[in-house]
Amino acid sequence: VNDNDNDTLADAHHSAIEHIENQIQSHENKNIITQPSLPSLYFVKADENSDSTFQCPTLCSELETNIYSYLTWGDYARMAPTHSRVANIMHDAAHQSSEHKWSLAQSLLHGENGLEENPALARNYLMELANVTVDLEKSPFNPNYEEMPEHVVVENDDEHEVADTDSSSSHATAAMRQLALCYLEGKGVETHTTTGLAWLQQAYRHGDLDAAYETATIYEHGTHGVTVDIYIAARWFLGAAEKGHVESMAEYAMCLELGCGVDVNDNEALDWYTKAAEKGHVTSNFSVAEMFESARGGVPQSDTEAVLWYFKAAKMGDEDSVKALRRLNDIARIVVPGWANTLGV
């Protein structure tokens, strides 16, 4: 490695350090996804073809680590063309962890953190994260709900929380759902709805309940060119609801209340609305209140119970519940004294 090569890399380092000075001021105030990082002594590598070593400007390890923690993916991209030995710097940084690979994929997909949009390259990293494939020839797509394998840990419920930080499992399923969106919307690949739905199913099979919910909503509303099928939608909502997905609980309750894809059953609807409400779902609190007010779902008519549920929903910001409390004010002012002042309405 000659002196000119070292000078070129040194210039790249100095340029990057100047950029850091502008970043430090706003770094703590920005909601930035995971910054890239490199292995220790990444820039001090033994030359494969000689006894010489490739040296960057000397920095102690701690200072070096701190400096590179302020660089963005865009900075790494600008360094890559400066020398053959750092040509793969983005790739090497991405492979530090699944979190870093996810960060780069999102930056490429959305054109963020100093990078231009490159959904095709983002898709490659998402495929690596997913670590599974979708082959419609070997496994034809079946839209019907299927039970999740018993050994899979559910990710999106209250009983089984999966850490978001550096979890290969959570990033894998997130990548599968992102790949689904790529195929559904034609980002980095040709639009192919069936393949997109198949990727959602893969994510669900690996424990992602959000994927089941998204599958249901696609069939419920007929998005992405899919034919509306309320029966398939209801079954996917139920499957996710039974495993703890709160939004699916509320949606399946509505299916039962309105008879969408299932027989009308107010008793079961109230049961699912209550489960969702107890987990903090806002509009489900309103729906439970309606059931008590109109004596549906197998419960006796009770304005008092209705007011209590309306008040819970109103505290969470539901405007319809505020209107209901005003309508039932004669009861509300007794059951919840000062409710209007409490809500600031």
Side-chain angles (χ1 to χ4, degrees), residues 261-317:
V262 292
D263 293 335
V264 173
N265 190 323
D266 282 347
N267 289 18
E268 285 190 31
L270 177 58
D271 183 48
W272 282 111
Y273 277 136
T274 303
K275 288 177 180 178
E278 290 174 345
K279 290 180 177 291
H281 192 270
V282 179
T283 57
S284 289
N285 280 273
F286 176 84
S287 297
V288 173
E290 281 191 316
M291 291 283 193
F292 276 103
E293 187 178 1
S294 58
R296 291 186 294 128
V299 296
Q301 198 285 330
S302 175
D303 287 343
T304 297
E305 283 293 328
V307 163
L308 291 172
W309 286 99
Y310 283 136
F311 183 66
K312 289 180 183 179
K315 284 197 298 182
M316 291 185 276

Side-chain angles (χ1 to χ4, degrees), residues 124-241:
N124 292 341
Y125 285 109
L126 291 171
M127 288 291 294
E128 289 184 18
L129 283 166
N131 199 31
V132 294
T133 58
V134 165
D135 190 332
L136 296 180
E137 292 185 2
K138 292 182 179 178
S139 302
F141 175 72
N142 183 347
N144 294 314
Y145 174 80
E146 61 181 54
E147 287 295 336
M148 186 182 293
E150 292 183 2
H151 66 278
V152 174
V153 176
V154 176
E155 294 186 10
N156 314 101
D157 67 355
D158 291 339
E159 296 180 1
H160 303 93
E161 292 188 7
V162 176
D164 290 332
T165 54
D166 204 23
S167 168
S168 58
S169 175
S170 62
H171 285 111
T173 54
M176 293 174 205
R177 279 198 290 122
Q178 190 77 73
L179 284 165
L181 192 62
C182 287
Y183 280 98
L184 291 171
E185 298 185 349
K187 291 185 177 180
V189 291
E190 290 187 13
T191 301
H192 199 284
T193 300
T194 303
T195 302
L197 290 169
W199 272 112
L200 282 177
Q201 283 194 4
Q202 277 284 20
Y204 165 73
R205 291 189 190 112
H206 287 77
D208 192 329
L209 295 182
D210 285 338
Y213 173 77
E214 289 173 22
T215 300
T217 58
I218 288 172
Y219 281 102
E220 180 185 27
H221 301 293
T223 54
H224 305 294
V226 173
T227 301
V228 171
D229 193 319
I230 58 176
Y231 298 97
I232 290 177
R235 190 64 189 89
W236 278 99
F237 280 137
L238 174 59

Side-chain angles (χ1 to χ4, degrees), residues 6-18:
N6 281 329
D7 289 339
T8 299
L9 185 62
D11 290 339
H13 276 269
H14 291 152
S15 177
I17 291 172
E18 288 177 2

